[in-house]
Structures are given as C-alpha cells and as structure tokens.
C-alpha cells in the first residue's frame, strides 16, 4: 500500500510503501474504546478526599444527655447528619490505574493508524525542519499541507524548534513515536508524520 509524500511546501515529492499489517487492518472499534478508557483512567490523579467524622475537628463532647430530653440520642456534633459534620462514605485518595493486555494495546494502536489511513487523514512529510522557533512558520507548514482541522504532528526524535513552534497552536500537538497513544490519535483529526517517524512506527509495531 502506497501513500503520497509531501514536502513542507505542500508539494508531492514521492510515494512511500506502508505495511498493511499496521496501516490497513480491520478497525477494531471496541479495542480502541478500551485503550482510550485505559489512557484516561491512568491520567487520573485520584487525590480527591473528604473528612470522615473522626477527622473533623471538634465534636468530642456529647451534645446532650442520653435520656430524658425527648430528642434523639446523639454522641457527637461531627456525625454525618450534623451541619459541619463529617462525610459518610465520601471519596478518599486512590489509584485508578489499571494495565491493558500488551497485544490488545498494540492492536488498538494499529486500528487507530488504519482508521486514519482509511479516512484519508494520514499525511506523510519527507522532513520537518525549522530554522528557528516560530509559531508562524509552523502555521505556514500546516496551511501548505491543507490542514483545516486539528492536527497531530508525529516526530521520530527530539526536534525542539518544531515542538516549541507548535506549542502555541491550539489545534495542533506534537508527539514522538515512543509516546504515541490511541487517545491522542483519535482526538486529532489529521495525523501528520515525518517519513522517518513512519519508518520507526513500522519498525516498532511490525
């Protein structure tokens, strides 16, 4: 399977062979959904916390005597039914992390790649090099490639000028091949990758 390769001016400069085992497999929607859930769960900090009746300051004295008042018995003004009382069964710090089967994770990524190729939203660039850190330069590159929606720019390795030039563009984001995930691939409409990045993807996920 071949795709066109463009330069930074948006001109076609050749073609590239894509592995059908990575970029042309049947799209498994349920696995991609599972991978997105897994990613979002692992991003959660789980730091939310409420005070129980034992943790709220005060309430050591019994409000009134046990019997003879005609009112319900009370042991503390920090019980959950009281104003300023503790919270019953409230959230406490916890980890939401869980692991996903490695084969399933890889298949979900391949499905995401294949979905972008099938939609015609997969763009290969021969190289991405900027002389200086300038947002305007990166916007021009995206315009040359006729990108009108949100774009994910995938790089093969450290490329500070491109990363920092993309940082101030709200509709674009850069990722390295080793940090790719299904959530980001699906979140952005257009997938832009350098030729070297595609070669690295084919090398890693073959």
């Amino acid at each position: 399977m071949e795709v066109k390769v463009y330069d930074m001016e948006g001109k076609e400069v050749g073609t590239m062979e894509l592995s059908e085992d990575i970029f042309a497999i049947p799209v498994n929607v349920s696995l991609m959904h599972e991978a997105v859930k897994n990613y979002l769960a692992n991003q959660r900090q789980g730091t939310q916390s409420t005070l129980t009746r034992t943790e709220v300051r005060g309430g050591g004295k019994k409000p009134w005597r046990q019997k003879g008042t005609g009112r319900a018995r009370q042991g503390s003004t920090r019980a959950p039914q009281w104003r300023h009382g503790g919270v019953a069964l409230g959230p406490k710090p916890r980890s939401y992390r869980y692991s996903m089967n490695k084969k399933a994770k890889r298949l979900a990524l391949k499905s995401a790649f294949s979905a972008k190729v099938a939609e015609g939203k997969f763009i290969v660039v021969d190289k991405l090099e900027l002389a200086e850190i300038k947002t305007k330069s990166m916007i021009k590159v995206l315009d040359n490639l006729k990108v009108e929606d949100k774009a994910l720019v995938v790089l093969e390795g450290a490329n500070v000028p491109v990363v920092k030039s993309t940082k101030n563009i709200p509709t674009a984001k850069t990722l390295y091949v080793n940090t790719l995930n299904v959530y980001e691939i699906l979140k952005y409409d257009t997938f832009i990758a350098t030729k070297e990045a595609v070669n690295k993807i084919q090398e890693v996920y073959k």
Side-chain angles (χ1 to χ4, degrees), residues 39-189:
Y39 175 83
L40 292 176
N42 292 349
Q43 298 305 302
R44 294 183 70 175
Q45 290 186 322
T47 54
Q48 73 276 42
S49 183
T50 52
L51 299 179
T52 64
R53 60 185 294 167
T54 60
E55 294 167 325
V56 179
R57 184 180 173 87
K61 183 186 174 187
K62 192 173 172 67
W64 50 77
R65 67 179 193 265
Q66 182 83 345
K67 292 177 179 292
T69 64
R71 290 183 286 186
R73 55 195 174 190
Q74 301 290 329
S76 168
T77 55
R78 297 299 179 258
Q81 72 272 20
W82 283 76
R83 184 168 178 257
H84 302 307
V87 176
L89 307 176
K92 281 291 181 187
R94 56 164 285 198
S95 172
Y96 290 91
R97 290 190 71 85
Y98 70 94
S99 58
M100 190 176 168
N101 181 289
K102 192 176 177 181
K103 282 185 179 178
K105 214 172 193 176
R106 288 171 76 94
L107 191 56
L109 262 172
K110 289 179 182 180
S111 289
F113 294 142
S114 299
K116 289 299 174 190
V117 174
E119 291 167 9
K121 295 286 188 179
F122 191 91
I123 298 173
V124 181
V125 184
D126 61 344
K127 60 183 177 180
L128 273 174
E129 292 174 356
L130 297 178
E132 57 182 331
I133 298 167
K134 205 168 187 180
T135 304
K136 195 181 283 185
S137 301
M138 196 61 203
I139 290 173
K140 190 179 179 184
V141 171
L142 295 175
D143 287 342
N144 291 341
L145 295 170
K146 295 182 173 60
V147 176
E148 297 174 351
D149 39 30
K150 292 195 291 183
L152 181 66
V153 181
V154 181
L155 306 165
E156 69 280 0
N159 192 332
V160 175
V162 172
V163 172
K164 290 197 172 182
S165 298
T166 311
K167 216 166 187 178
N168 282 337
I169 306 173
T171 56
K173 182 175 182 175
T174 55
L175 279 183
Y176 297 123
V177 172
N178 59 351
T179 59
L180 276 174
N181 60 80
V182 176
Y183 173 76
E184 299 286 5
I185 295 171
L186 298 181
K187 180 183 175 183
Y188 291 86
D189 305 290

